[in-house]
Every structure is written in C-alpha cells, then in structure tokens.
Amino acid sequence: MSDVTTLASETNCHIFEGCAFPSPGLQSFVFKPIFSIGSFHFNKPMLLALLSSVVVIGFFWAAFNKPKLIPGKMQMVGEAGYDFVRRGIVYETLGKKQGEKYVPFMVSLFFFVWIMNLWAIIPLAQFPVTSIIAFPAGLAAVVYVLWMSLTFKKHGFVGGWKNITGYDKSLGGILPLVVSLEFLSNVIVRPFTHAVRLFANMFAGHVLLLLFTLASWYLLNGIGIIYAGVSFVMVIVLTAFELFIQAIQAYVFVLLATSYVQGALAEHH
C-alpha cells in the first residue's frame, strides 16, 4: 500500500466534518520495516531500489542478450537509450576516444537513477527512492571516489592536489584564497551538492503530489467536491510534470558525474 493511500485511509476525514487537513510531512517518508534481521531493517525504499537494479539489468539483458543485425523492438529501445547517454552526455563531455570506457558506468547510473525516480508515479509504489537522502548520497559518493581516484592516477599525488585546488603560481598574492576556495568547493561542497540537487527535487515533487492527492480526498464532501475536482486536475498536471523532472534529474546527475571525470582527466592549468 502506498503512503498516499495509507494517509488517506488513516484519516478518513473530509472537509466540514470538524477535522483538520492531514497535511503531508516527514511521516510520509518513514516506512515500517518489511522485515528485520537484527539491527538491519529492510523497508519499502530499499525494496524499490533493489527492484530498480533488477529492472535495469533485466531490460538491458533482454535487449542485448541475443542482438540481431535488424533489431527488434526491445533492442531498438535499448540501443536508443544507450546511445542517448553515450552520445548526448559522455561523448559531448569527454569526447569519443576518452569517454568510451566510461559509457557503461554512465549508462547504468542514468537508468538506475531514472527508474528510482520513476517509482513516484507507478501505482502501488508511488514513492521516489531518491527522495531519501541516503540513496543520492551513496551514488554521489561512488562518483566522488571515481573522480578522486582518476585525478590522482592521472596527475600523481602532488599534481592531483594542484588539479583539485587550482594551484597556479601566476595568481600571486590571491593564491592562498583561490586554493582554499577550490579545496572547499571541490572536496567538500561538490559531493554534497551533487547529492542534494537530486534529493531536493524529488523530495519536493513528492510532497506536492501528496499535498494535492490528500487535498482531493479531503475536499470530497459537499460543496468541496468542486475544489476536489480542481485539486485532482493538479494531481494529473503534477504527475505529468514529474515525469519530465524525473528524467531531467537523472540527466543532470549523470552530466555532472561526467563533467567531474572530465575535470579529473584534464591537464592542470
């Protein structure tokens, strides 16, 4: 059962019945464990994240397990998705020669994030996994480790820190300030903003969907039915808008990841 349905059925309340509007809040992002093993609790977002992996792996396995010269529908969709990330993100940022080896990772990252976002509008699921900060933070940490390792592998220990901090003797007296700001921006702020950008958008979108869904239920009484209809139209509009935002956020997350790799491989200036 989705959190939307749970909240609505638990309140069983409508306008003009002397009860307050059951506004969504942090309780809408907290789920009871499906099962527990000791101190480990497996809940709905974890299940959806696991299913996201299964969906992505299953789809690409089905699309490319037996590739044909004249592709079928599944292979055509798989090739289109793969090519979109490869040419539209990786090649555009890293170039074909340098970027080819990172295409599988970026394709996997894009579709994994996108599917986790997409659960927000899937019946029964109705929850974007990335609205839980731990999931974007985990993915941002993977990208961060990749970026740092590539930086030091490409430039060495000293050169890596120069690349990260923007060290340049020609800056003269402002060099300490530039180095400090670049260090703060790249080492500390960058992974934080990478995760929060995705999290905040999906969190806000889910709250809005919950707000108008619950309002449609709450207003469904007397003259409030008119307003309930308007609220339900907003649910439909916001759902369509969320479809767009879900794809855009996956695109931006991978675009940033690719730009970080590009910065790691770029010659120090």
Side-chain angles (χ1 to χ4, degrees):
M1 184 179 291
S2 71
D3 47 335
V4 174
T5 306
T6 301
L7 284 170
S9 62
E10 283 180 353
T11 58
N12 195 26
C13 176
H14 299 286
I15 194 171
F16 309 130
E17 292 183 352
C19 52
F21 173 66
S23 59
L26 292 179
Q27 76 276 6
S28 304
F29 297 84
V30 178
F31 298 89
K32 294 179 180 179
I34 298 173
F35 67 84
S36 300
I37 302 176
S39 60
F40 173 76
H41 305 291
F42 188 84
N43 59 17
K44 179 179 176 178
M46 293 179 183
L47 174 61
L48 294 178
L50 180 61
L51 288 175
S52 298
S53 300
V54 173
V55 169
V56 174
I57 294 171
F59 170 76
F60 281 103
W61 182 86
F64 299 117
N65 181 44
K66 296 180 180 179
K68 300 179 181 178
L69 184 61
I70 301 177
K73 293 180 180 179
M74 184 75 75
Q75 185 179 333
M76 285 182 63
V77 174
E79 287 178 354
Y82 190 89
D83 206 48
F84 168 75
V85 178
R86 180 176 61 178
R87 296 182 181 277
I89 302 178
V90 181
Y91 285 4
E92 285 291 325
T93 307
L94 294 171
K96 182 177 181 179
K97 183 178 180 180
Q98 195 174 52
E100 188 62 42
K101 65 167 64 175
Y102 302 103
V103 171
F105 173 71
M106 296 302 174
V107 169
S108 302
L109 189 61
F110 174 85
F111 283 98
F112 185 54
V113 172
W114 183 44
I115 295 300
M116 286 200 296
N117 292 346
L118 200 60
W119 289 118
I121 60 169
I122 302 299
L124 299 181
Q126 293 177 290
F127 186 80
V129 181
T130 48
S131 65
I132 302 293
I133 187 61
F135 293 96
L139 294 175
V142 172
V143 174
Y144 180 79
V145 170
L146 174 64
W147 167 62
M148 292 290 278
S149 61
L150 287 175
T151 298
F152 289 109
K153 181 179 179 181
K154 171 75 175 179
H155 304 283
F157 183 77
V158 175
W161 284 114
K162 286 182 177 180
N163 180 279
I164 290 171
T165 60
Y167 181 87
D168 189 344
K169 287 184 178 180
S170 65
L171 293 173
I174 66 169
L175 179 59
L177 177 63
V178 171
V179 168
S180 299
L181 290 175
E182 287 292 311
F183 178 85
L184 179 66
S185 173
N186 290 329
V187 178
I188 299 175
V189 176
R190 173 177 287 186
F192 175 78
T193 56
H194 195 200
V196 169
R197 181 181 285 105
L198 174 60
F199 157 73
N201 278 279
M202 299 316 300
F203 182 93
H206 188 57
V207 168
L208 281 174
L209 277 174
L210 278 176
L211 181 66
F212 283 100
T213 301
L214 290 172
S216 299
W217 171 262
Y218 181 70
L219 294 170
L220 202 60
N221 186 27
I223 194 173
I225 292 176
I226 298 173
Y227 304 107
V230 174
S231 182
F232 184 70
V233 169
M234 285 300 302
V235 172
I236 296 173
V237 171
L238 285 172
T239 298
F241 184 65
E242 274 296 289
L243 270 172
F244 173 72
I245 295 299
Q246 288 157 4
I248 287 295
Q249 287 307 310
Y251 176 85
V252 170
F253 193 87
V254 174
L255 180 63
L256 288 172
T258 310
S259 70
Y260 297 159
V261 171
Q262 190 275 333
L265 300 177
E267 295 297 330
H268 176 63
H269 57 276

